[in-house]
Amino acid sequence: MAYELSGIRKMYQEDQYAHLTQVRGKSALDKKELMDMLHCLPIRAKAICLVNLVTANRPSEMVRLKISDFDLNNKCVHVYLKKQKRWHTKRLTQEVTQAIDGYIREYHLKPDNYFVGGCIRMDAMKAQPSVKSGTIVFCSVGRGLPGTTSGKAKW
């Protein structure tokens, strides 16, 4: 049985069968369409989605971000890459820094608050920024929003 399975796997490595293993990604969204969708979001969701889109952070990196990790004057964010066990500085656009600044002001966030915020109350969709969110919470709440995992959710 194992020998047969090995033979089948080797067959797919041959050039004539390569097309059978091709994986196609999703097509890119039109930038204007994406930006129109983002501008309709509340400031919190907009800031989180923009940061995720621009930085391409993993969910685990997003939930570890604190307000103090952002340097809005220099348009960058310092992200701890857990797998590499080192910090990495990622650049932000002017639009992203404006969204972050608006989010910080509206929610009166302090430097030690988490950017995504934790313990999201699903009934009121409000964040408690002093508590770290889990990756599963981030993924499930952010479903369907641009720059987050796929699926559906309302913010």
Side-chain angles (χ1 to χ4, degrees), residues 67-80:
I67 299 303
S68 59
D69 295 330
F70 290 91
D71 183 351
L72 299 183
N73 294 330
N74 293 316
K75 296 183 183 126
C76 63
V77 60
H78 308 289
V79 181
Y80 182 69

Side-chain angles (χ1 to χ4, degrees), residues 36-54:
D36 289 345
M37 288 171 48
L38 287 172
H39 288 300
C40 294
L41 295 174
I43 190 66
R44 178 177 182 270
K46 180 180 174 181
I48 292 169
C49 289
L50 282 171
V51 168
N52 205 24
L53 278 170
V54 170

Side-chain angles (χ1 to χ4, degrees), residues 90 97 105-106 124 134-135 137 144:
K90 297 184 178 187
T97 57
R105 290 175 192 269
E106 186 172 320
T135 304
V137 171

